[in-house]
Amino acid sequence: MAEILDGKAVAGEVVATVKQAAAELISETGVTPGIAVVIVGKDPASQVYVSSKSRKAKECGFHSVQHELGEDTSEDELLGLIDELNRDDAIHGILVQLPLPDHIDSGRVIQTIAPDKDVDGFHFINVGRLGTGELASAFVPCTPAGSMLLVERVRGTDLSGLSAVVVGRSNIVGKPMAHLLLAANATVTIAHSRTKDLPGLCATADILVAAVGRPEMVKGDWIKPGATVIDVGINRIPAPEKGEGKTRLVGDVAYEEAAAKAGAITPVPGGVGPMTIAMLMANTLVSACRTAGREPPKF
Ligand code: GUN
C-alpha cells in the first residue's frame, strides 16, 4: 500500500515557516508582508477561495486587503485598481481571482500586475523566468509549487534518471509543473487529450501528475509499481450512497486502485489542495523579503 502524502501536514509546516519569517521580518525591518486579493462578481466558489486566502494571510501576520468589485465593473476600473496596488508600498503580492466576468480580458489584467508582485506567477516575466530555469527570481504558480514540495518529500530535490509524466497542459498547472520537474533533472513528458496510448505512457512514469479535471480518469493499471502519484484534480461528483442529492470530492486519479500500486500518493481532499494557499503565503513572504533586501527562507 502506498505512502499517503499528507498535504495538510506539509502545508502546515510551510505556514509555520512563513509565520516565523514574517514575525522576524516585521521586528527586524519594520516591513509587514502585504497581500491584496481582488475578486470581481459573485461566483460562490471564487468567494470561498478568496476568503480563505485572506483569512490565511491574517493568520500569517500579513497586512491583508480584499477588494470585492461588482459584476459590472469595467476593465478600465479593474486596471486602475491594479495600477494603484502596483504603486502601494504596503502591498507585496497582488492576486486577481480567476475567472473574471466575460467582458474583462483576463490576459490584459494579469499582464498589468507588476511582475515582482505577481504572487500567482501568471505574468509572462515570471513564466519566462521559470521556463529558463531562473527559479531564484521567479514567482512559481502556487499549485505546481506545492505539488513539487510533495514530490520532494518522497524523491528529494534531484530527480536525475527519473521519468515524469504530467497529464494536462494548462498554463496554471500542467506547463509550470513540467518546468519544475525539468529544472529538478527529471525526464519530462506532457500528455493531454490528444496523446496516443495515455495509459501506456502513464505506466512509464516514476512520477505521475494528473491535472486534467476529469474525475477518476487515471486508473490503477496506468500506474507504474512504486510510482509517486500527485493528484491535482478536485472534482465534485454525485454520492447517492450518502443520501439523496449528496456529493463528494474526488481527484483525477481512481484513488483506491492507484494507491494499491503506487509508492506514494496524494489523497483528495487533503493532498495538493491545502498546499496551494500555503504557497501563496510563501510567495508573498518571499516578495516582502526581496523588497526589504533580505534572504527569504527556503521552502
Ligand atoms: N482560480 C482558480 N485557481 C486560481 C489561482 O491559482 N489563482 C487565481 N488568481 N485564480 C484562480
Side-chain angles (χ1 to χ4, degrees):
M1 206 51 191
E3 174 193 347
I4 297 168
L5 283 168
D6 185 349
K8 230 171 138 178
V10 179
E13 290 170 30
V14 169
V15 169
T17 304
V18 169
K19 276 185 195 169
Q20 190 185 340
E24 282 172 18
L25 188 70
I26 294 164
S27 71
E28 290 168 23
T29 70
V31 174
T32 301
I35 183 168
V37 179
V38 181
I39 180 170
V40 184
K42 290 259 174 270
D43 177 59
S46 291
Q47 286 191 318
V48 172
Y49 288 135
V50 162
S51 42
S52 56
K53 286 167 185 172
S54 298
R55 203 175 331 115
K56 188 64 80 180
K58 291 202 177 99
E59 185 192 323
C60 289
F62 292 1
H63 164 60
S64 166
V65 291
Q66 194 168 319
H67 292 269
E68 297 182 38
L69 308 181
E71 183 78 32
D72 56 357
T73 301
S74 71
E75 188 172 303
D76 279 348
E77 283 173 86
L78 179 56
L79 294 175
L81 172 60
I82 293 172
D83 187 44
E84 250 175 60
L85 295 170
N86 282 343
R87 288 185 280 109
D88 184 343
D89 289 340
I91 297 297
H92 306 98
I94 302 170
L95 181 139
V96 179
Q97 185 66 24
L98 303 175
L100 289 168
D102 288 344
H103 66 276
I104 297 178
D105 177 349
S106 306
R108 187 159 175 227
V109 170
I110 289 166
Q111 301 313 321
T112 302
I113 297 171
D116 294 337
K117 295 189 178 188
D118 168 39
V119 284
D120 253 333
F122 295 164
H123 193 285
F124 293 151
I125 292 279
N126 286 309
V127 175
R129 286 172 176 155
L130 173 60
T132 51
E134 296 288 334
L135 292 174
S137 62
F139 283 118
V140 177
C142 302
T143 299
S147 300
M148 198 62 196
L149 282 195
L150 297 177
V151 170
E152 286 176 4
R153 291 293 164 126
V154 187
R155 300 284 188 170
T157 52
D158 184 359
L159 307 178
S160 295
L162 297 175
S163 69
V165 172
V166 179
V167 188
R169 54 174 157 177
S170 71
N171 291 331
I172 294 182
V173 182
K175 285 177 201 162
M177 188 71 207
H179 279 300
L180 286 172
L181 291 160
L182 184 62
N185 302 318
T187 302
V188 183
T189 307
I190 304 180
H192 46 79
S193 56
R194 309 287 178 97
T195 297
K196 201 160 116 182
D197 188 16
L198 187 56
L201 176 65
C202 290
T204 66
D206 300 306
I207 298 161
L208 180 62
V209 180
V212 275
R214 293 184 55 179
E216 302 178 316
M217 185 184 86
V218 175
K219 307 299 182 199
D221 59 3
W222 300 21
I223 309 292
K224 180 174 174 174
T228 303
V229 178
I230 305 293
D231 189 350
V232 181
I234 301 178
N235 310 287
R236 194 167 280 288
I237 63 166
E241 72 281 3
K242 286 167 65 181
E244 205 190 306
K246 298 283 188 194
T247 60
R248 66 189 174 101
L249 291 178
V250 298
D252 292 348
V253 177
Y255 181 81
E256 294 299 335
E257 32 179 284
K261 290 192 70 184
I265 187 166
T266 59
V268 177
V272 172
M275 295 300 294
T276 299
I277 290 189
M279 296 318 290
L280 177 66
M281 300 303 122
N283 280 351
T284 305
L285 173 79
V286 167
S287 181
C289 287
R290 286 177 186 161
T291 303
R294 304 253 307 193
E295 187 69 25
K298 294 269 176 288
F299 291 98

